[in-house]
Amino acid sequence: MKIIDRLYEKVRENGFVCVGLDTSLDYIPSHMKEGKSVTDAIFSYNKEIIDNTYDVCAIYKLQIAYYESYGIDGMLAYKKTLAYLREKNLLSIGDVKRSDIAASAKMYAKAHFSGDFECDFITLNPYMGMDSIEPYEEYIESGDKGVFVLLRTSNPGAKDFEVLDVDGEEFFYKIGDKLKALNDKYLGENGYGPIGLVVGATHSEEVEKIRKRYDKMFFLIPGFGAQKADSLNVYKLMENLNAGVVNSSRAILKNWQNYDDGSEKVGFYARKKAIETYEEIKANEVI
């Protein structure tokens, strides 16, 4: 089964939540860190989250910056977490946002689609052009790997470049159209391709247009949870509660901090928030 079909089926079975494992040591209760190395503390915390959410989410996203910030110890935790996800037959996104060309891009592809840091999907930045995307195509063509490419992001600075007028419409549509053409070459059985888009849910006037224009592309939807994206916007970026995954990181990872007994029930409260996230967005079906 192609990776994009596996993701579609996971969303169908478990819902569209993407658990963001953006783990910082200060998120971890003291008793879970005591006597442990940085590697073991982060990995054991991630394992606790995974073991309690694997059946209520579609995929896990690891933002590599959190792991890089702890040096070799952090990257060992990154490696161990990805290996654990593969062992459990769970899907992963390496949120690495790579952007380079030629031989350098080939090495990034090798680094994150094989070996110690192997993921099912990675995130890419397209602003150097399509020759920064093409080196990943050999992995995409096999059906075993996929990418999510930045399109319309939710940060305030997105206005600096993404929405500049180019031939009468926003620049990000020019990027999306080129990626759509590439994606259409590799559609899976469920009608979607392995080249997805990162689309923030904070721009209510755009979400329906984006979903309609890129109807065969899966979306990675950030901004829900800590960034407070509107649940109706998120809902509109999906199709029948599929064709997208909704990332929530801090809101899930740190939910235990909202409860008196939270430090002893980290996984329980992570699961609770993952379910609440799904239900809040799903509730828009009745509107």
Side-chain angles (χ1 to χ4, degrees), residues 95-113:
D95 192 359
V96 299
K97 296 186 180 71
R98 295 301 190 239
S99 180
D100 217 320
I101 58 171
S104 297
K106 285 183 177 292
M107 291 300 103
Y108 279 135
K110 180 180 179 181
H112 295 287
F113 282 153

Side-chain angles (χ1 to χ4, degrees), residues 49 82 129 191 224 229 250 276:
I49 302 295
L82 290 170
F224 196 79
R250 283 168 289 169
E276 288 173 353

Side-chain angles (χ1 to χ4, degrees), residues 202-249:
T202 54
H203 308 286
S204 58
E205 70 280 4
E206 297 169 344
V207 292
E208 291 182 77
K209 182 179 178 181
I210 291 171
R211 178 71 273 176
K212 183 177 180 180
R213 187 157 174 164
Y214 304 117
D215 59 329
K216 297 177 182 177
M217 303 182 81
F218 236 84
F219 294 167
L220 170 58
I221 307 167
F224 196 79
Q227 294 183 48
K228 304 297 184 185
D230 184 89
S231 68
L232 181 59
N233 290 345
V234 174
Y235 175 77
K236 288 179 177 179
L237 282 170
M238 292 184 284
E239 288 284 358
N240 300 316
L241 299 177
N242 209 317
V245 290
V246 182
N247 183 72
S248 180
S249 300

